[in-house]
Amino acid sequence: MLNQDNENAYEVLNTLDEKIKNNKQLKELKKTLISQLNRISLQGSGENNIDFNFTTLETGEILKKLSLIYGQDPITIERNGLGRNNLLYISLILSHLAPEENIDVCFRVVGIEEPEAHLHPHLQKHLAHNIEQINANRDDLQIILTSHSTHITSSLNTDNTVILYKNGADSIGCNVINVNGVAFKHFLEIIKNGYFIKCAVLTDGDEGKKTENRATNLKRDYEKPYRNIKVSINKETFEKELIEANKDGKGKKVLLKALNSTRPKLGPEYSEKISNQEIGNEEFFSMIEEYKSEFAFNLGDELKKIGKSNFNVPTYIEKVFEFIMDIEG
């Protein structure tokens, strides 16, 4: 049972709770917080719910004075994850910057540092998109957001993106991007328009195919006008270039071992057949064409066992690394 002192304390806290919930300014704050949270958080269907809570008697809770609860299944803020509380804090800042009547504001700048911390990738993209919308619709506000997250930066308009890098730094921090298609132009436009570091493109020549002019057009449009871009083209496909560069000698042995692991029956038969001959490019490729992933995995295993001098890198790949490393050919 509660003693009289506790009952009195609860009455005081309950009265305070009611006054807080009915306070006009706090009601407006709650309204703007909900509005901002609905824009930058993903809660599924329904709205976020925010309320102020001050009804517990525990000392620790009293010392915190005010607690915020929000979400469709509300819990107190100290039990939220860091990402969720970051969203709440961002919403609080943005709601504080909402236009107010009878207050003249010339211009405001808001800095948000790395909002991706502890947020799911989908929520990062959603947050970035909506912050950009908020920024675009205000003449008296500029939001500056710094981030290391590709989920956020890829969701922003490139016209609003500034990339910082150290000029003259060596090959440290080299990025290898698998475009997995023919859409190189989007990346090269970014490099061309202000991301002034070296960029090398490796692409197939596709001789005899409908896309055979694509690579030469890239070279014409980007490599020649822009000195920080290199487009290196092979004749057909990466695998055929790899075979051509290692059709005899030590490289031949490596390719045949990988083939034997990939095609346990055909591999040994072919190895015996060409024991004293060079590898036939088209014939070898025909045996791995439907097994490219397995062959790449097995070739990788073989390359781990040997020194780098025992296998040749295709010339068109060597050229791009010489370009990146400033090695004169």
Side-chain angles (χ1 to χ4, degrees):
M1 294 181 62
L2 294 175
N3 58 35
Q4 187 64 40
D5 289 339
N6 281 345
E7 288 181 347
N8 291 338
Y10 272 118
E11 288 180 7
V12 171
L13 290 174
N14 282 328
T15 301
L16 178 59
D17 226 1
E18 288 298 316
K19 288 186 176 181
I20 288 173
K21 290 179 180 179
N22 293 320
N23 181 274
K24 182 179 179 181
Q25 289 181 318
L26 289 177
K27 280 184 175 181
E28 287 299 313
L29 176 60
K30 174 181 172 181
K31 181 179 177 181
T32 52
L33 275 171
I34 290 174
S35 175
Q36 296 297 341
L37 276 172
N38 286 338
R39 298 185 70 177
I40 68 172
S41 66
L42 293 171
Q43 288 290 339
S45 60
E47 285 194 341
N48 292 281
N49 179 47
I50 299 173
D51 215 338
F52 302 95
N53 182 33
F54 195 51
T55 55
T56 60
L57 191 59
E58 289 77 16
T59 302
E61 295 295 315
I62 292 175
L63 290 176
K64 292 171 186 173
K65 295 185 179 179
L66 285 175
S67 293
L68 284 166
I69 56 174
Y70 84 104
Q72 291 175 308
D73 299 310
I75 58 175
T76 55
I77 192 172
E78 62 273 7
R79 293 179 59 197
N80 287 336
L82 292 176
R84 201 175 190 191
N85 283 343
N86 284 344
L87 286 181
L88 180 59
Y89 182 67
I90 292 171
S91 299
L92 180 63
I93 295 299
L94 294 176
S95 64
H96 179 66
L97 294 171
E100 298 180 39
E101 294 182 3
N102 304 319
I103 297 180
D104 293 328
V105 176
C106 179
F107 195 75
R108 288 170 169 171
V109 177
V110 179
I112 302 176
E113 181 182 10
E114 299 179 17
E116 66 266 22
H118 310 286
L119 289 183
H120 188 279
H122 290 172
L123 189 50
Q124 291 179 38
K125 296 178 74 171
H126 185 72
L127 171 65
H129 175 72
N130 282 284
I131 284 180
E132 189 170 56
Q133 281 193 329
I134 293 169
N135 194 68
N137 294 328
R138 295 282 299 277
D139 295 329
D140 62 342
L141 172 67
Q142 180 173 6
I143 300 175
I144 300 174
L145 185 153
T146 63
S147 177
H148 294 284
S149 169
T150 54
H151 300 292
I152 286 179
T153 54
S154 64
S155 300
L156 299 174
N157 189 319
T158 53
D159 290 338
N160 296 330
T161 304
V162 176
I163 301 172
L164 304 179
Y165 64 95
K166 185 177 180 180
N167 193 24
D170 56 32
S171 227
I172 295 173
C174 180
N175 295 312
V176 179
I177 302 172
N178 177 20
V179 178
N180 197 28
V182 297
F184 288 95
K185 291 183 67 174
H186 302 294
F187 296 95
L188 295 177
E189 283 293 316
I190 294 172
I191 300 296
K192 181 190 78 172
N193 290 330
Y195 191 21
F196 299 117
I197 65 171
K198 287 191 171 182
C199 174
V201 174
L202 292 169
T203 183
D204 294 341
D206 293 335
E207 289 185 359
K209 298 181 180 178
K210 289 191 298 183
T211 55
E212 67 177 343
N213 294 323
R214 175 185 52 83
T216 54
N217 289 342
L218 282 176
K219 198 173 186 73
R220 179 198 65 207
D221 295 339
Y222 293 97
E223 180 180 290
K224 291 184 179 179
Y226 307 102
R227 296 180 61 188
N228 60 322
I229 295 175
K230 174 76 173 177
V231 179
S232 193
I233 308 169
N234 65 19
K235 292 180 181 178
E236 293 185 72
T237 64
F238 165 69
E239 289 82 10
K240 289 185 178 181
E241 292 281 340
L242 202 64
I243 297 166
E244 186 64 26
N246 295 277
K247 61 185 179 182
D248 57 14
K250 295 178 180 179
K252 170 188 171 182
K253 294 179 180 178
V254 177
L255 288 180
L256 290 177
K257 286 182 179 179
L259 178 65
N260 291 345
S261 299
T262 307
R263 305 295 304 271
K265 185 175 184 300
L266 285 178
E269 291 176 357
Y270 180 73
S271 298
E272 185 177 353
K273 171 185 170 183
I274 64 157
S275 58
N276 297 318
Q277 304 171 33
E278 292 182 347
I279 290 177
N281 201 314
E282 293 296 334
E283 188 174 8
F284 192 97
F285 180 73
S286 69
M287 288 185 284
I288 66 168
E289 187 171 10
E290 302 298 325
Y291 302 85
K292 287 183 179 180
S293 297
E294 295 92 330
F295 178 75
F297 181 84
N298 292 324
L299 179 59
D301 272 352
E302 293 299 326
L303 292 176
K304 290 176 184 177
K305 302 173 187 176
I306 65 173
K308 60 182 180 180
S309 61
N310 294 323
F311 196 76
N312 299 318
V313 176
T315 303
Y316 83 106
I317 296 178
E318 280 188 340
K319 286 181 179 178
V320 301
F321 282 100
E322 289 172 354
F323 170 74
I324 295 293
M325 300 294 293
D326 283 322
I327 300 173
E328 294 184 4

